[in-house]
Amino acid sequence: MTAQDDPHQKIIAAAKRRFTHYGYTKTTMAELAVDCDMSPGNLYRYFAGKLDIAEAICREASVQTADDLQRILTSPERSASQRLHDFLFMDLRETFHKLEKDPKIVEMAQIVTAERPEFHNEGLAREREVLCRIVELGNLSGEFNVPDPDFAAEMIQAATLKFSYPQLFTRLPLAKLERELEGVYQIVVAGLKAGCAACVDPEKVAVEA
């Protein structure tokens, strides 16, 4: 079955066109059914509601971003610090350009994030896995000295979350965001290189105690 023949993909493609042109809130399930040449009842067989379609669109984009970021791990002749820089700036630029190109998608992303926080957390977890691996590679090479890479990855993500979904937080232009991110990156990587002996999840410490 091709993507055009797959009802799920057909609905998602139609929804992308509608959401991009008219916006999420101004699109109805009835309109999507017409676009897909199916009855509203048939449309509901595949998706329980408009929010489920929006989540599917966002998940597709999130998985693609995670796959793109994974390739940083296999880039030849890059130090852990350079891989971290690549990760943070690729995440910023790719997301910024996507949302700048389709500004109405920002509205949809905000709604999905608010209504389906578990989906948002899934996306963060996928990206955090890559961050953790970068920290582990730094430990293996002797570049970093981080006792708890999982916790370090979580804290790096927390410190840079604004730059992962820039238009959800600010209307700064890309050049200003890159300036801010470079400063945050320099602080983070300096800490990783100095040896973050205290960079351990306090919840784990409490359990072990």
Side-chain angles (χ1 to χ4, degrees):
M1 179 182 290
T2 66
Q4 284 184 323
D5 296 327
D6 182 353
H8 283 91
Q9 289 303 314
K10 188 175 182 179
I11 293 166
I12 287 172
K16 282 181 181 178
R17 291 191 295 270
R18 280 270 173 189
F19 295 162
T20 299
H21 188 74
Y22 297 104
Y24 174 83
T25 56
K26 293 184 178 179
T27 296
T28 67
M29 290 290 276
E31 289 169 336
L32 289 175
V34 171
D35 291 346
C36 296
D37 296 320
M38 61 175 63
S39 67
N42 198 30
L43 180 61
Y44 280 106
R45 286 178 54 207
Y46 299 101
F47 290 98
K50 189 170 64 170
L51 185 60
D52 296 277
I53 300 174
E55 182 179 340
I57 293 172
C58 289
R59 175 169 283 105
E60 188 179 89
S62 175
V63 169
Q64 182 60 57
T65 297
D67 288 345
D68 292 341
L69 293 170
Q70 278 279 354
R71 287 196 285 274
I72 290 170
L73 298 176
T74 56
S75 299
E77 300 179 4
R78 302 290 284 171
S79 68
S81 297
Q82 290 169 328
R83 292 182 200 278
L84 179 58
H85 194 277
D86 293 343
F87 176 100
L88 295 174
F89 279 82
M90 179 188 291
D91 203 16
L92 166 62
R93 289 165 183 159
E94 287 197 0
T95 307
F96 184 91
H97 289 309
K98 283 178 185 175
L99 297 180
E100 199 72 4
K101 179 182 176 183
D102 300 318
K104 287 189 171 64
I105 296 300
V106 177
E107 172 200 34
M108 182 186 73
Q110 288 173 323
I111 292 171
V112 172
T113 299
E115 297 294 327
R116 300 282 172 85
E118 67 281 2
F119 155 75
H120 186 55
N121 291 336
E122 288 172 18
L124 291 176
R126 279 191 288 270
E127 295 190 12
R128 199 158 56 244
E129 288 176 7
V130 183
L131 278 172
C132 181
R133 184 60 184 144
I134 290 172
V135 175
E136 289 172 343
L137 289 172
N139 280 347
L140 286 171
S141 69
E143 186 179 357
F144 298 158
N145 180 20
V146 181
D148 191 342
D150 285 324
F151 183 67
E154 185 181 349
M155 295 305 102
I156 293 169
Q157 189 176 63
T160 59
L161 191 59
K162 168 184 177 179
F163 307 102
S164 293
Y165 305 92
Q167 286 94 327
L168 300 186
F169 296 100
T170 180
R171 292 305 302 168
L172 285 176
L174 182 58
K176 292 281 190 182
L177 288 166
E178 288 182 337
R179 173 182 173 275
E180 289 185 357
L181 181 55
E182 183 63 35
V184 173
Y185 163 77
Q186 293 294 342
I187 292 170
V188 168
V189 82
L192 295 173
K193 287 183 174 181
C196 302
C199 190
V200 178
D201 189 343
E203 292 183 358
K204 291 181 183 177
V205 174
V207 170
E208 291 171 359

